Amino acid sequence: MKVGIGQDSHRFDFDNKDRKLVLGGVVLEGYPGLAGNSDADVILHSITNAISGVTCVNILGKISDELCLEKGITDSKVYLKEALKYLNGQKIVHVSISIECLTPKITPHIPAIRSSISRLLDIPESSIGITATTGEGLTQFGQGQGIQVFSCVTVE
């Protein structure tokens, strides 16, 4: 068994009204998108980083920059799939995700996000835990300026 921890955070892009908020591969309507070169899906980026913690191959950075900036691939699902290639037969058996933000309220979106991640990782929804907090407004994330996500993957 191995465990990987990943983190990612992005500020909201309040100026770009065309940018969509994407969390866990799910588009959430009615909210500002997150700033970034890609779709800035902080949940998938966090999971990708957690997988990199297991494989020791960093996807977010040089590899994602090549995909995004050189090939125009901005879909974070592609980065996650790239990370999965380096597991070399190991299988993710559980994912725990902790989200800090003031908006959007995460709880109503958990079923859709779990379903999306389940399909992407090919694991049961019951193996994906998602919690959310505002952190009592102590950080910029809890004050509504962006979203921060920590993920932990268990691999066997």
Side-chain angles (χ1 to χ4, degrees):
M1 301 284 276
K2 292 184 179 180
V3 175
I5 300 170
Q7 184 273 345
D8 193 46
S9 58
H10 286 271
R11 291 184 172 279
F12 285 113
D13 186 349
F14 293 111
D15 296 327
N16 185 347
K17 303 300 181 202
D18 294 328
R19 189 175 265 282
K20 301 286 186 188
L21 177 60
V22 183
L23 294 177
V26 177
V27 175
L28 278 63
E29 298 291 342
Y31 302 99
L34 294 166
N37 292 329
S38 68
D39 60 13
D41 186 332
V42 291
I43 294 177
L44 294 189
H45 291 185
S46 177
I47 295 169
T48 299
N49 280 333
I51 294 167
S52 292
V54 170
T55 65
C56 302
V57 178
N58 292 332
I59 301 302
L60 298 182
K62 184 179 180 192
I63 293 173
S64 66
D65 284 350
E66 288 173 3
L67 291 167
C68 180
L69 302 175
E70 295 176 21
K71 297 182 181 178
I73 299 170
T74 60
D75 186 343
S76 294
K77 292 188 288 280
V78 174
Y79 311 154
L80 177 60
K81 288 177 186 174
E82 186 68 21
L84 291 171
K85 291 178 186 178
Y86 293 94
L87 283 173
N88 296 324
Q90 298 173 97
K91 173 92 173 130
I92 294 173
V93 295
H94 188 266
V95 179
S96 180
I97 301 163
S98 179
I99 304 165
E100 182 182 359
C101 62
L102 178 65
T103 186
K105 295 297 180 200
I106 298 299
T107 301
H109 304 287
I110 288 175
I113 294 169
R114 286 176 76 203
S115 177
S116 173
I117 293 170
S118 170
R119 288 189 304 275
L120 290 167
L121 298 180
D122 192 29
I123 62 174
E125 289 181 33
S126 61
S127 294
I128 302 164
I130 300 175
T131 61
T133 182
T134 63
E136 300 300 324
L138 293 174
T139 68
Q140 289 187 347
F141 308 109
Q143 295 165 5
Q145 298 301 308
I147 302 175
Q148 175 171 243
V149 178
F150 289 90
S151 295
C152 182
V153 297
T154 305
V155 176
E156 64 177 11

